[in-house]
Amino acid sequence: MIGIGVLSGIDHVIMDVTLALVPLVLFFIAFQVLYLKLPTSYILNLLTGVIFTFAGMVLFLQGVHVAFLPAGQQIGAFLGSMEAQWVLIPFGFLVGFLATYAEPAVRILCNQVDDSSSGFIRGSLLMLVLSAGVAGFVALGMARLVYNIPFLPVMMIGYFCAILLLPFAEKDFIAIAFDSGGVATGPMAVTFLMALSVGASAVIEGRNPVTDGFGLIAFIALAPILAVLLLSVVFRMKRVKSNAV
Protein backbone atom coordinates (compact mmCIF):
# COMPACT_ATOMS: atom_id res chain seq x y z
CA MET A 1 0.00 0.00 0.00
CA ILE A 2 2.85 2.39 0.78
CA GLY A 3 4.42 1.80 -2.63
CA ILE A 4 1.12 2.45 -4.40
CA GLY A 5 0.70 5.71 -2.50
CA VAL A 6 4.20 6.90 -3.34
CA LEU A 7 3.70 6.23 -7.06
CA SER A 8 0.17 7.58 -7.20
CA GLY A 9 -0.22 10.08 -10.04
CA ILE A 10 3.35 9.66 -11.30
CA ASP A 11 2.07 9.14 -14.86
CA HIS A 12 0.76 12.71 -14.91
CA VAL A 13 4.07 13.98 -13.55
CA ILE A 14 6.01 12.12 -16.25
CA MET A 15 3.75 13.62 -18.92
CA ASP A 16 4.15 17.15 -17.55
CA VAL A 17 7.95 16.87 -17.38
CA THR A 18 8.08 15.41 -20.89
CA LEU A 19 6.02 18.27 -22.28
CA ALA A 20 8.33 20.74 -20.55
CA LEU A 21 11.64 19.24 -21.74
CA VAL A 22 10.86 18.07 -25.29
CA PRO A 23 10.51 21.59 -26.78
CA LEU A 24 13.87 22.58 -25.27
CA VAL A 25 15.56 19.49 -26.70
CA LEU A 26 14.02 20.08 -30.14
CA PHE A 27 15.10 23.72 -30.00
CA PHE A 28 18.69 22.70 -29.28
CA ILE A 29 18.67 20.01 -31.99
CA ALA A 30 17.54 22.58 -34.55
CA PHE A 31 20.36 24.94 -33.59
CA GLN A 32 22.85 22.07 -33.57
CA VAL A 33 21.91 21.02 -37.10
CA LEU A 34 21.72 24.52 -38.53
CA TYR A 35 24.34 26.58 -36.69
CA LEU A 36 26.24 25.12 -33.71
CA LYS A 37 27.82 21.97 -35.17
CA LEU A 38 29.14 20.92 -31.76
CA PRO A 39 31.24 17.73 -31.44
CA THR A 40 29.54 14.39 -30.80
CA SER A 41 31.02 14.07 -27.31
CA TYR A 42 29.30 17.29 -26.27
CA ILE A 43 25.98 16.09 -27.68
CA LEU A 44 26.26 12.82 -25.74
CA ASN A 45 26.99 14.75 -22.53
CA LEU A 46 24.02 16.98 -23.21
CA LEU A 47 21.67 14.06 -23.77
CA THR A 48 22.94 12.40 -20.60
CA GLY A 49 22.25 15.62 -18.72
CA VAL A 50 18.74 15.77 -20.15
CA ILE A 51 18.08 12.23 -18.92
CA PHE A 52 19.33 13.11 -15.44
CA THR A 53 17.23 16.27 -15.48
CA PHE A 54 14.15 14.33 -16.54
CA ALA A 55 14.61 11.75 -13.79
CA GLY A 56 15.36 14.41 -11.18
CA MET A 57 12.32 16.52 -12.06
CA VAL A 58 10.00 13.50 -12.03
CA LEU A 59 11.29 12.32 -8.65
CA PHE A 60 11.20 15.80 -7.15
CA LEU A 61 7.70 16.69 -8.35
CA GLN A 62 6.37 13.30 -7.30
CA GLY A 63 7.95 13.81 -3.89
CA VAL A 64 6.28 17.21 -3.67
CA HIS A 65 2.84 15.75 -4.39
CA VAL A 66 3.08 12.80 -2.00
CA ALA A 67 5.20 14.32 0.77
CA PHE A 68 6.00 18.04 0.90
CA LEU A 69 2.55 19.48 0.21
CA PRO A 70 0.61 17.09 2.51
CA ALA A 71 3.23 17.38 5.26
CA GLY A 72 3.27 21.17 5.10
CA GLN A 73 -0.50 21.40 5.27
CA GLN A 74 -0.73 18.92 8.15
CA ILE A 75 1.99 20.66 10.17
CA GLY A 76 0.39 24.04 9.54
CA ALA A 77 -3.03 22.70 10.58
CA PHE A 78 -1.58 21.17 13.75
CA LEU A 79 0.20 24.36 14.83
CA GLY A 80 -2.75 26.54 13.86
CA SER A 81 -5.11 24.46 15.98
CA MET A 82 -2.96 24.87 19.10
CA GLU A 83 -4.09 27.24 21.82
CA ALA A 84 -0.71 28.99 21.70
CA GLN A 85 -0.89 29.93 18.03
CA TRP A 86 2.08 32.29 18.41
CA VAL A 87 4.25 29.17 18.11
CA LEU A 88 3.72 29.55 14.35
CA ILE A 89 5.97 32.63 14.37
CA PRO A 90 9.25 31.10 15.68
CA PHE A 91 8.49 27.90 13.78
CA GLY A 92 8.08 29.93 10.60
CA PHE A 93 11.43 31.63 11.26
CA LEU A 94 13.14 28.26 11.69
CA VAL A 95 11.70 26.54 8.63
CA GLY A 96 12.12 29.71 6.56
CA PHE A 97 15.84 29.75 7.33
CA LEU A 98 16.28 26.03 6.67
CA ALA A 99 14.24 26.05 3.45
CA THR A 100 16.23 28.96 2.02
CA TYR A 101 19.55 27.47 3.10
CA ALA A 102 18.59 24.24 1.32
CA GLU A 103 17.27 25.99 -1.80
CA PRO A 104 19.36 24.89 -4.83
CA ALA A 105 18.71 28.09 -6.80
CA VAL A 106 19.93 30.22 -3.88
CA ARG A 107 23.15 28.22 -3.67
CA ILE A 108 23.74 28.63 -7.40
CA LEU A 109 23.21 32.39 -7.15
CA CYS A 110 25.58 32.69 -4.18
CA ASN A 111 28.27 30.67 -5.96
CA GLN A 112 27.89 32.76 -9.11
CA VAL A 113 28.16 36.00 -7.12
CA ASP A 114 31.25 34.71 -5.31
CA ASP A 115 32.92 33.71 -8.58
CA SER A 116 31.93 36.85 -10.50
CA SER A 117 33.10 39.19 -7.74
CA SER A 118 36.35 37.21 -7.23
CA GLY A 119 35.41 36.65 -3.60
CA PHE A 120 34.62 40.32 -2.84
CA ILE A 121 31.03 39.28 -2.06
CA ARG A 122 31.42 35.97 -0.29
CA GLY A 123 28.86 33.36 -1.21
CA SER A 124 28.69 32.05 2.36
CA LEU A 125 27.87 35.53 3.69
CA LEU A 126 25.24 36.10 1.03
CA MET A 127 23.70 32.72 1.82
CA LEU A 128 23.35 33.58 5.50
CA VAL A 129 21.93 37.02 4.74
CA LEU A 130 19.35 35.61 2.34
CA SER A 131 18.37 32.81 4.72
CA ALA A 132 18.00 35.19 7.66
CA GLY A 133 16.01 37.68 5.59
CA VAL A 134 13.58 35.06 4.34
CA ALA A 135 13.29 33.58 7.83
CA GLY A 136 12.28 36.96 9.21
CA PHE A 137 9.62 37.51 6.59
CA VAL A 138 8.24 33.98 6.93
CA ALA A 139 7.87 34.73 10.63
CA LEU A 140 6.12 37.96 9.66
CA GLY A 141 3.83 35.98 7.38
CA MET A 142 2.95 33.66 10.24
CA ALA A 143 2.31 36.68 12.47
CA ARG A 144 -0.02 38.01 9.78
CA LEU A 145 -2.07 34.82 10.10
CA VAL A 146 -2.09 34.76 13.88
CA TYR A 147 -2.88 38.45 14.45
CA ASN A 148 -4.82 39.14 11.22
CA ILE A 149 -2.36 41.74 9.92
CA PRO A 150 -3.46 43.18 6.53
CA PHE A 151 -1.40 41.98 3.58
CA LEU A 152 -1.36 45.02 1.29
CA PRO A 153 0.06 47.62 3.75
CA VAL A 154 2.96 45.31 4.65
CA MET A 155 3.86 44.80 0.99
CA MET A 156 3.57 48.50 0.19
CA ILE A 157 5.79 49.45 3.12
CA GLY A 158 8.30 46.75 2.20
CA TYR A 159 8.73 47.82 -1.42
CA PHE A 160 8.72 51.48 -0.41
CA CYS A 161 11.64 50.73 1.94
CA ALA A 162 13.40 48.92 -0.90
CA ILE A 163 13.04 51.98 -3.14
CA LEU A 164 14.35 54.22 -0.36
CA LEU A 165 17.41 52.00 0.05
CA LEU A 166 18.35 52.07 -3.65
CA PRO A 167 20.23 55.44 -3.61
CA PHE A 168 22.31 54.30 -0.62
CA ALA A 169 23.15 50.85 -1.95
CA GLU A 170 26.29 49.83 -3.81
CA LYS A 171 25.40 49.56 -7.48
CA ASP A 172 27.01 46.08 -7.62
CA PHE A 173 24.38 44.80 -5.19
CA ILE A 174 21.19 46.22 -6.70
CA ALA A 175 20.75 43.71 -9.51
CA ILE A 176 21.83 40.89 -7.19
CA ALA A 177 19.17 41.97 -4.69
CA PHE A 178 16.31 41.73 -7.16
CA ASP A 179 17.59 38.46 -8.63
CA SER A 180 17.72 37.09 -5.09
CA GLY A 181 14.02 37.73 -4.70
CA GLY A 182 13.36 35.45 -7.65
CA VAL A 183 15.62 32.58 -6.71
CA ALA A 184 14.46 32.50 -3.08
CA THR A 185 10.94 31.62 -4.21
CA GLY A 186 12.13 28.25 -5.46
CA PRO A 187 10.69 24.76 -5.03
CA MET A 188 11.64 24.39 -1.36
CA ALA A 189 9.81 27.56 -0.37
CA VAL A 190 6.80 27.13 -2.60
CA THR A 191 6.17 23.45 -1.88
CA PHE A 192 6.55 23.48 1.89
CA LEU A 193 6.15 27.01 3.24
CA MET A 194 3.12 27.86 1.15
CA ALA A 195 1.47 24.59 2.15
CA LEU A 196 2.30 25.39 5.78
CA SER A 197 0.59 28.78 5.49
CA VAL A 198 -2.49 27.40 3.74
CA GLY A 199 -2.81 24.58 6.28
CA ALA A 200 -2.60 26.98 9.22
CA SER A 201 -5.09 29.45 7.77
CA ALA A 202 -7.58 26.62 7.18
CA VAL A 203 -7.92 25.90 10.91
CA ILE A 204 -7.45 29.35 12.48
CA GLU A 205 -10.84 30.82 13.28
CA GLY A 206 -11.80 33.73 11.08
CA ARG A 207 -9.13 33.06 8.44
CA ASN A 208 -9.71 32.10 4.82
CA PRO A 209 -7.17 29.79 3.12
CA VAL A 210 -7.54 31.72 -0.16
CA THR A 211 -7.32 35.28 1.13
CA ASP A 212 -5.08 34.63 4.16
CA GLY A 213 -3.18 31.45 3.32
CA PHE A 214 -1.58 32.81 0.18
CA GLY A 215 0.73 35.81 0.07
CA LEU A 216 3.59 34.20 1.96
CA ILE A 217 5.56 33.67 -1.27
CA ALA A 218 5.27 37.40 -1.95
CA PHE A 219 6.85 38.01 1.46
CA ILE A 220 9.62 35.55 0.59
CA ALA A 221 10.25 37.35 -2.71
CA LEU A 222 10.52 40.71 -0.93
CA ALA A 223 12.77 39.54 1.91
CA PRO A 224 15.99 38.93 -0.10
CA ILE A 225 15.66 42.30 -1.83
CA LEU A 226 15.64 44.18 1.48
CA ALA A 227 18.28 41.90 3.03
CA VAL A 228 20.78 42.30 0.18
CA LEU A 229 20.16 46.04 -0.11
CA LEU A 230 20.84 46.41 3.63
CA LEU A 231 24.00 44.34 3.20
CA SER A 232 25.08 46.63 0.38
CA VAL A 233 24.57 49.68 2.59
CA VAL A 234 26.88 48.07 5.16
CA PHE A 235 29.48 47.42 2.43
CA ARG A 236 29.22 51.02 1.28
CA MET A 237 29.65 52.37 4.80
CA LYS A 238 32.76 50.23 5.26
CA ARG A 239 34.17 51.42 1.93
CA VAL A 240 33.56 55.08 2.81
CA LYS A 241 35.12 54.57 6.22
CA SER A 242 38.20 52.85 4.73
CA ASN A 243 38.64 55.63 2.16
CA ALA A 244 38.39 58.25 4.89
CA VAL A 245 41.17 56.55 6.82
Side-chain angles (χ1 to χ4, degrees):
M1 295 297 293
I2 295 178
I4 296 175
V6 168
L7 296 178
S8 176
I10 195 171
D11 53 334
H12 297 291
V13 174
I14 292 174
M15 181 60 67
D16 291 340
V17 174
T18 301
L19 292 175
L21 289 181
V22 166
L24 295 177
V25 174
L26 294 177
F27 185 77
F28 173 79
I29 291 174
F31 263 77
Q32 167 66 12
V33 172
L34 297 175
Y35 304 108
L36 298 178
K37 312 294 185 183
L38 296 172
T40 305
S41 60
Y42 184 89
I43 303 302
L44 292 176
N45 288 338
L46 176 70
L47 293 177
T48 303
V50 170
I51 293 172
F52 284 142
T53 301
F54 177 84
M57 290 180 67
V58 169
L59 292 174
F60 176 78
L61 291 175
Q62 183 66 11
V64 166
H65 288 304
V66 302
F68 272 89
L69 288 177
Q73 290 179 351
Q74 291 298 321
I75 293 173
F78 172 76
L79 295 176
S81 62
M82 294 176 61
E83 184 175 351
Q85 294 176 344
W86 60 266
V87 173
L88 276 166
I89 300 173
F91 184 80
F93 184 92
L94 176 63
V95 296
F97 186 94
L98 295 177
T100 307
Y101 201 80
E103 184 66 62
V106 173
R107 290 186 173 275
I108 292 173
L109 174 73
C110 293
N111 291 335
Q112 288 289 314
V113 170
D114 197 324
D115 293 340
S116 300
S117 65
S118 300
F120 175 70
I121 307 173
R122 297 198 311 275
S124 57
L125 173 62
L126 188 60
M127 174 69 76
L128 290 175
V129 169
L130 292 176
S131 299
V134 171
F137 269 75
V138 172
L140 178 61
M142 294 297 112
R144 183 176 76 89
L145 287 178
V146 174
Y147 301 111
N148 199 23
I149 300 173
F151 171 77
L152 188 58
V154 176
M155 294 302 297
M156 292 178 64
I157 293 172
Y159 278 103
F160 182 71
C161 291
I163 293 172
L164 289 180
L165 286 172
L166 289 177
F168 304 99
E170 289 278 1
K171 63 179 182 179
D172 297 336
F173 283 82
I174 295 176
I176 297 172
F178 284 89
D179 276 351
S180 300
V183 300
T185 54
M188 294 298 294
V190 175
T191 57
F192 185 73
L193 297 178
M194 185 174 66
L196 181 74
S197 177
V198 172
S201 63
V203 299
I204 296 178
E205 185 178 356
R207 306 294 183 268
N208 186 311
V210 176
T211 57
D212 299 312
F214 293 92
L216 183 64
I217 304 303
F219 280 14
I220 296 173
L222 173 60
I225 298 174
L226 291 174
V228 175
L229 288 177
L230 288 171
L231 178 65
S232 71
V233 171
V234 174
F235 267 69
R236 184 172 186 177
M237 292 173 61
K238 287 185 176 181
R239 179 173 61 82
V240 172
K241 185 176 180 180
S242 63
N243 290 338
V245 174

